[in-house]
Amino acid sequence: MSTITNNNNGEVKPLTKKDFTSDQVVRWCPGCGDYSILAQTQKLLPELGIPKENVVFVSGIGCASRFPYYMNTYGLHTIHGRAPSFASGVKISNPDLSVWLITGDGDALSIGGNHLIHILRRNIDVNILLFNNRVYGLTKGQYSPTSLPGHVTKSSPMGSIEQALNPISLALAAEATFVARSVDTHAKHLGEILKRAAEHKGTSFVEILQNCVIFNDKTWEDVTDKKTKENNALLLEHGKPMIFGAEKNKGIRLNGLKPEVVELGGDISESDLLVHDEKCSDPTYAYLLSRITYPEYPCPMGVFRSVEKPTYEDQLVGQVKTAIEKKGEGDLNQLYNSSDTWTVS
Amino acid sequence: MSTTKEIDALTIRFAGDSGDGMQLTGAQFTNASAIFGNDISTLPDFPAEIRAPAGTLAGVSGFQVNFSSEDIYTPGDSPEVLVAMNPAALKANLSDVPRGGTIIVNKDAFSKNNLKKAGYENNPLEDDSLLAYQVHTLALTSLNRKALEDITSLSTKEKDRCQNFFALGLTFWAYDRPMEPTLKWVKEKFKKLPDVVAANERSLQAGYYYGENTETFQIRYRVKSASSEPGVYRKVTGNEAIALGMATVAKLSQKPIFYGSYPITPASDILHNLSPLKHFNIRTFQAEDEIAAVGAAIGAAFGGSLAATGTSGPGICLKSEAIGLAAVYELPLVVINVQRGGPSTGSPTKPEQSDLLQAMFGRNGESPVAILSPQSPADCFDTIIEAFRWAVRIMGPVFVLSDGFLANSSEPWKIPNPQDFLPIEVKHAKAEEGKDFLPYKRDPETLSRPWAIPGTPGMEHRLGGLSKEPGTGNVSYAADHQQKMTDDRAEKVARLTEIIPPLQVHGESKGKLLILGWGASYGAIRSATEKAQKEGKSVSYTHLRYLNPFPKDLEEICANFEQVLVPELNMGQLTLLLRGKYKNNFVSYGKVQGQPFKIEELYDKICELT
């Protein structure tokens, strides 16, 4: 746990989860997956050693986007889909801040799809948490861009006829430098992933499989439920072969460019399996992983990609520094006179 | 031998293909005139298409310069001299040239093919159609090629690119302009290409000496330097002046400036002019779209920067929701709209003032913003500084309504002394012992709320677009809270009248007619009114820089006149606002023809009403 200097009397006082909890009553539905994500985030922040006045939570519109109101930090509840732009402005304005972006599948992938890909490609150091419940909650249950084809909702009574978007594939196509997936209720795993996201320098993108108890209950049950997850989910661990299953007897092998599920034993051993490499600089590998989807395959959980690249704000600050070194601090007289002048006497 | 004749002012227009370098030629002529000491005003007029098919009417690009020994306020109603580089340029511009005007044409370009592209059945240089004008035809292309004959390293095509400088040189001689500023510019611009420098110098000089040595021009005209206020001057366009103003704001406030923008005509030059000013602590952000540009600016304002976003009308449409958010967040934000012809994509390179009501009302809900408009290119400098002062004072969005004419037009600017400006005081709230921070506690005088920025301990707070409780800013839909917050936001903007200086009425303070304009129409209104005043007509003018709120004394001033004429480049938007507030007799005079008001048309209107 980090320690923060108390400003009033110089005493050293550790921050706790409580310090990051605002006085506002949380208004999500009872049983909503968002509670668990909020709790994990509030638990994590004191561990990061960042003074809470340096933390900013930014969100768009939707159930998830009420999140900043519940954090006792600085925060912006913005407009639908546009949160990445606000977060970018905050971070560029003051790169010392720890900026978090809370969004949902409608906010980030439908109305805000454009902004999402651009913040990712710029690699601005913002931690993006995308709560994916595959449905519109706040507008009462329409299908979302991640809803599966055939999904029956009020606006798709005969089933959705749209292809679902894969958030991880999208982030990787934008060459995001940190891409991960976790689950609302897997507290320990979520805590670890959020910590990794916070520590990553550059944009971190975390898809959190989240349950909407009202409009899309149990949407992720097959891959998240205790009873089924070991067979239906694959835990990604850097440098380790991809093994899953209650008996740890199944794995992923690459056949050309096609992954295949194999059973260990007989003539197939661990050395035949794909070994996870989250540091692979070419996003093609991580993209291939992102196409491993349930039910054909187990659903991968964990860090798909974590690579270092210069951040936007560091480069910008660098350019400001270079400009000052080259030209000196801006001088108005010099600037005004930088064009042809003439004197009237 | 030619004789030299002194005149007070002259308007010259250079016209050619988009690729002929007419904007550059006009700009060089302007520079030379400004440095010579004339008052100048320019009107670039070019198509939105970068390179429309060569030789066609759609591809004609023009640049008009008015230069004078007296103060001038417009680029001139019509060009007394037209330089036409091809048949299309002649055809597109001829109707603007008054009878008796001078036309200089490149006859080499009047080929059968070019004539056909321009839609001429007969060669106008060979029939009687130009009898009413003084036409000087010269074989500009071949003369220029000949002048550059011994520069063997350049192709004919490359040499032909210098022919605009031949034309420029000729006009320099004809109107007695100095060549030095252009020669200096050429050396600097092409310093890595010595052959190109040599060719351009040679073309310019060849044109000049062609004028001197031939009998083409019987009379050489001279416009004496103007007796402007003493000082050091330079030339600025509106977009340049905005960038210079923002650099000044950075210094006066000691705050970082953030400019979020998405490329759009005619606002992009602001971004281009600001991007190299990083050493002034100006951060520019070329966003993925208009919405992101304003979103990032608002985020930066929350982070403690002085933030602005710049665009044109279509961009404002996209930014509307976010501007409403800034109004409700109550964060300082300057929104620059370099207006162009609309609706929709409209006429990207042509000026209009048709986004006034959009600025005023173009958001959902009760969402008041402050609105300012500059009256000339150089005035953009003062206006943008004032806009930032206002934004900091009201903690909210302030619009600056420029337009495509101000953006690209230039005039002399007396370089100010930076020491003469008052600082822009920015206060960031700090935690006070034993007191809870209330993000929406209002200053009793200005009604603005405190600006606490991330990084400040003890001031953590959340801003949102949802309705709020006064003081705490907590989400609330309570009836009295919504009413109170709405009233306070409106009153905060209304109280700007306390710092708006009294309006200046030019002419008698009572009479038959008052001209009340705004924005770039200033020059034409002033010139037309002064002309009418000299003839004894009962007409005065006052110009509105503050469009929301209106100055306190506006109603009273208007009441002293029988009629108030409101000229604007729209179909009566300011008139509608005025009629909504005051009972005076307002007469709307609107037009949307892609051009600024002409002195003559306003003068005629004055005559009609007085």
Side-chain angles (χ1 to χ4, degrees):
Chain A
M1 187 167 285
S2 70
T3 52
I4 303 297
T5 305
N6 181 313
N7 290 316
N8 295 331
N9 48 20
E11 264 177 41
V12 173
K13 183 178 105 178
L15 288 175
T16 64
K17 183 181 170 190
K18 206 169 154 241
D19 290 305
F20 286 93
T21 307
S22 82
D23 59 356
Q24 300 294 297
V25 180
V26 182
R27 297 192 197 178
W28 288 314
C29 308
C32 175
D34 292 359
Y35 282 95
S36 163
I37 307 170
L38 179 65
Q40 286 312 310
T41 312
Q42 287 169 334
K43 182 165 165 271
L44 167 72
L45 281 165
E47 296 171 19
L48 297 175
I50 303 166
K52 68 174 179 164
E53 65 269 18
N54 282 1
V55 178
V56 183
F57 275 82
V58 182
S59 65
I61 294 291
C63 293
S65 291
R66 295 297 178 99
F67 199 97
Y69 289 120
Y70 309 136
M71 299 296 300
N72 190 19
T73 64
Y74 285 90
L76 287 178
H77 180 214
T78 72
I79 45 178
H80 204 11
R82 321 302 174 191
S85 63
F86 290 82
S88 299
V90 170
K91 185 70 182 178
I92 294 167
S93 181
N94 183 355
D96 295 336
L97 300 173
S98 167
V99 182
W100 296 71
L101 195 160
I102 309 297
T103 184
D105 39 316
D107 193 52
L109 301 170
S110 192
I111 190 167
N114 191 33
H115 306 301
L116 179 68
I117 58 176
H118 289 283
I119 191 173
L120 294 171
R121 84 179 165 87
R122 290 192 182 106
N123 201 31
I124 299 179
D125 190 6
V126 169
N127 309 311
I128 302 175
L129 313 185
L130 189 158
F131 299 10
N132 183 7
N133 56 19
R134 303 205 271 207
V135 77
Y136 283 104
L138 204 57
T139 50
K140 297 193 167 63
Q142 300 82 0
Y143 63 94
S144 92
T146 54
S147 297
L148 297 175
H151 191 62
V152 173
T153 71
K154 272 184 246 175
S155 59
S156 56
M158 295 171 75
S160 165
I161 50 174
E162 297 184 15
Q163 170 72 41
L165 204 56
N166 178 330
I168 301 281
S169 293
L170 182 82
L172 289 163
E175 301 197 33
T177 54
F178 182 93
V179 179
R181 179 187 285 141
S182 190
V183 178
D184 52 4
T185 49
H186 296 177
K188 187 163 172 284
H189 186 257
L190 178 61
E192 286 165 9
I193 295 292
L194 292 182
K195 189 154 195 276
R196 293 265 330 256
E199 286 165 355
H200 175 73
K201 191 105 174 79
T203 318
S204 308
F205 177 84
V206 183
E207 180 197 11
I208 303 171
L209 309 186
Q210 180 250 330
N211 191 45
C212 174
V213 70
I214 306 293
F215 295 110
N216 206 12
D217 197 20
K218 300 189 167 62
T219 180
W220 299 111
E221 190 180 35
D222 288 353
V223 297
T224 60
D225 189 79
K226 267 185 201 147
K227 292 177 214 127
T228 52
K229 70 173 183 184
E230 288 187 340
N231 281 323
N232 296 342
L234 165 74
L235 207 59
L236 297 172
E237 290 177 278
H238 180 61
K240 300 217 172 130
M242 292 184 190
I243 297 174
F244 68 102
E247 314 291 327
K248 300 276 173 219
N249 62 343
K250 289 187 273 190
I252 302 285
R253 184 174 72 174
L254 209 53
N255 181 2
L257 277 177
K258 186 157 174 63
E260 54 186 17
V261 174
V262 291
E263 278 207 34
L264 291 169
D267 56 352
I268 298 177
S269 70
E270 272 189 33
S271 60
D272 295 314
L273 301 182
L274 192 55
V275 175
H276 183 43
D277 178 12
E278 64 184 35
K279 309 277 177 212
C280 185
S281 60
D282 184 341
T284 311
Y285 159 75
Y287 186 82
L288 186 142
L289 275 192
S290 77
R291 308 313 294 174
I292 297 182
T293 51
Y294 182 81
E296 195 186 347
Y297 302 101
C299 175
M301 305 286 183
V303 178
F304 286 71
R305 184 174 202 233
S306 174
V307 297
E308 297 294 322
K309 274 191 187 173
T311 66
Y312 181 95
E313 67 276 11
D314 279 356
Q315 294 180 83
L316 180 64
V317 169
Q319 287 191 345
V320 170
K321 213 175 133 214
T322 308
I324 292 172
E325 279 165 10
K326 274 194 181 160
K327 305 179 192 171
E329 291 268 357
D331 176 88
L332 288 178
N333 275 315
Q334 212 174 24
L335 177 68
Y336 296 164
N337 288 283
S338 61
S339 162
D340 285 334
T341 61
W342 65 95
T343 305
V344 175
S345 45
Chain B
M1 270 304 286
S2 62
T3 54
T4 302
K5 194 174 162 189
E6 294 266 353
I7 51 172
D8 292 337
L10 189 86
T11 300
I12 180 167
R13 185 184 293 176
F14 297 90
D17 241 351
S18 292
D20 277 343
M22 291 298 99
Q23 300 303 317
L24 175 64
T25 309
Q28 287 303 318
F29 193 93
T30 309
N31 276 352
S33 302
I35 291 167
F36 178 72
N38 292 134
D39 195 6
I40 49 141
S41 178
T42 69
L43 175 64
D45 184 16
F46 45 88
E49 295 75 18
I50 302 300
R51 291 275 190 280
T56 63
L57 291 172
V60 175
S61 166
F63 192 106
Q64 183 167 314
V65 194
N66 183 7
F67 57 107
S68 172
S69 59
E70 292 172 1
D71 285 353
I72 45 168
Y73 311 103
T74 76
D77 278 4
S78 47
E80 285 116 4
V81 181
L82 172 68
V83 179
M85 299 296 278
N86 66 7
L90 179 67
K91 185 154 196 186
N93 291 283
L94 187 64
S95 62
D96 292 341
V97 182
R99 296 176 85 77
T102 302
I103 296 171
I104 302 169
V105 286
N106 173 17
K107 74 173 174 199
D108 286 343
F110 282 65
S111 64
K112 242 189 195 159
N113 194 20
N114 278 350
L115 287 164
K116 200 176 143 203
K117 277 195 234 169
Y120 277 118
E121 282 183 12
N122 301 311
N123 187 342
L125 306 181
E126 290 164 3
D127 60 22
D128 294 344
S129 60
L130 300 178
L131 276 183
Y133 307 93
Q134 299 177 50
V135 183
H136 301 288
T137 56
L138 62 152
L140 204 147
T141 307
S142 30
L143 284 166
N144 184 61
R145 282 183 194 168
K146 185 102 180 127
L148 305 182
E149 205 169 34
D150 58 340
I151 301 181
T152 50
S153 56
L154 297 182
S155 66
T156 307
K157 204 174 160 191
E158 284 166 322
K159 287 177 185 173
D160 285 354
R161 276 198 210 124
C162 301
Q163 68 187 18
N164 59 332
F165 268 48
F166 190 98
L168 181 64
L170 181 64
T171 56
F172 275 180
W173 182 84
Y175 303 102
D176 198 13
R177 313 277 89 191
M179 279 194 284
E180 289 68 31
T182 301
L183 292 172
K184 192 179 138 201
W185 178 87
V186 167
K187 273 205 183 76
E188 182 59 28
K189 176 82 185 173
F190 302 111
K191 60 185 166 198
K192 287 182 185 151
L193 303 164
D195 291 343
V196 177
V197 172
N200 279 292
E201 285 177 350
R202 191 86 66 83
S203 291
L204 186 77
Q205 287 160 342
Y208 192 92
Y209 298 129
Y210 178 83
E212 193 169 78
N213 296 331
T214 62
E215 296 288 315
T216 312
F217 298 95
Q218 299 294 319
I219 304 168
R220 197 178 180 202
Y221 292 94
R222 169 177 288 161
V223 175
K224 278 193 301 189
S225 61
S227 52
S228 313
E229 219 180 297
V232 179
Y233 285 78
R234 65 171 281 184
K235 178 181 75 112
V236 279
T237 64
N239 280 348
E240 283 168 355
I242 284 177
L244 293 169
M246 283 171 71
T248 309
V249 169
K251 286 285 172 189
L252 297 180
S253 63
Q254 293 296 308
K255 295 291 297 176
I257 299 280
F258 183 96
Y259 184 69
S261 194
Y262 182 75
I264 184 168
T265 304
S268 303
D269 275 342
I270 301 172
L271 178 63
H272 306 158
N273 286 314
L274 283 171
S275 305
L277 301 184
K278 293 190 171 62
H279 54 311
F280 281 87
N281 208 2
I282 293 175
R283 293 169 197 193
T284 55
F285 180 66
Q286 182 179 315
E288 61 271 24
D289 62 24
E290 296 283 358
I291 302 172
V294 64
I298 297 169
F302 183 63
S305 296
L306 288 183
T309 186
T311 184
S312 190
I316 298 289
C317 293
L318 291 164
K319 293 179 199 289
S320 296
E321 186 187 11
I323 296 168
L325 184 67
V328 170
Y329 276 174
E330 301 191 45
L331 282 171
L333 175 74
V334 171
V335 180
I336 302 162
N337 179 356
V338 186
Q339 300 166 96
R340 65 191 217 187
S344 189
T345 309
S347 314
T349 58
K350 311 288 182 195
E352 266 180 27
Q353 298 176 302
S354 45
D355 299 342
L356 173 60
L357 295 182
Q358 180 194 39
M360 193 73 190
F361 302 118
R363 290 162 299 285
N364 63 308
E366 293 287 337
S367 174
V369 297
I371 308 172
L372 296 161
S373 182
Q375 65 184 33
S376 75
D379 188 45
C380 289
F381 177 83
D382 296 316
T383 306
I384 195 81
I385 296 174
E386 195 165 12
F388 274 99
R389 286 189 200 279
W390 276 22
V392 169
R393 178 188 151 110
I394 65 168
M395 289 287 289
V398 175
F399 267 78
V400 173
L401 293 181
S402 178
D403 68 42
F405 167 55
L406 291 177
N408 293 313
S409 173
S410 57
E411 68 173 349
W413 176 53
K414 190 182 167 197
I415 296 175
N417 181 353
Q419 309 294 329
D420 294 343
F421 296 112
L422 292 171
I424 297 175
E425 281 177 42
V426 177
K427 283 186 212 140
H428 292 304
K430 295 255 166 18
E432 288 178 59
E433 188 72 46
K435 274 192 186 168
D436 282 342
F437 174 52
L438 293 174
Y440 284 84
K441 187 183 174 187
R442 299 192 181 277
D443 178 284
E445 189 195 330
T446 63
L447 290 192
S448 71
R449 68 173 198 87
W451 188 9
I453 60 172
T456 316
M459 305 296 272
E460 294 82 5
H461 65 285
R462 276 68 56 195
L463 300 178
L466 292 165
S467 297
K468 296 175 180 27
E469 180 184 43
T472 63
N474 287 338
V475 175
S476 166
Y477 312 126
D480 54 339
H481 292 165
Q482 169 74 348
Q483 188 69 58
K484 172 79 178 143
M485 289 297 264
T486 302
D487 292 346
D488 283 351
R489 286 190 293 258
E491 176 63 14
K492 190 175 64 165
V493 174
R495 284 196 190 176
L496 282 167
T497 52
E498 302 299 327
I499 56 167
I500 293 178
L503 277 168
Q504 302 285 316
V505 179
H506 301 270
E508 298 296 326
S509 58
K510 273 184 189 217
K512 274 193 184 160
L513 184 65
L514 177 75
I515 318 283
L516 176 62
W518 65 282
S521 312
Y522 168 78
I525 292 173
R526 178 172 176 171
S527 303
T529 312
E530 286 177 353
K531 185 175 168 189
Q533 283 169 343
K534 274 183 200 157
E535 290 163 13
K537 296 199 185 298
S538 174
V539 57
S540 303
Y541 74 91
T542 188
H543 204 71
L544 272 185
R545 175 192 200 76
Y546 309 103
L547 295 156
N548 197 42
F550 286 140
K552 274 195 268 192
D553 50 354
L554 178 60
E555 184 176 21
E556 204 187 312
I557 286 171
C558 292
N560 288 327
F561 293 86
E562 288 169 26
Q563 285 190 310
V564 180
L565 178 69
V566 187
E568 43 185 342
L569 295 184
N570 61 52
M571 298 318 291
Q573 300 194 7
L574 175 62
T575 317
L576 184 72
L577 293 179
L578 290 164
R579 285 181 183 150
K581 264 193 103 141
Y582 309 126
K583 291 202 170 79
N584 313 90
N585 188 6
F586 297 106
V587 180
S588 178
Y589 182 37
K591 72 160 193 177
V592 282
Q593 294 166 9
Q595 294 295 328
F597 276 109
K598 288 186 171 167
I599 299 169
E600 213 50 40
E601 61 194 359
L602 285 174
Y603 171 79
D604 290 346
K605 191 77 190 173
I606 293 170
C607 293
E608 189 189 307
L609 295 174
T610 51

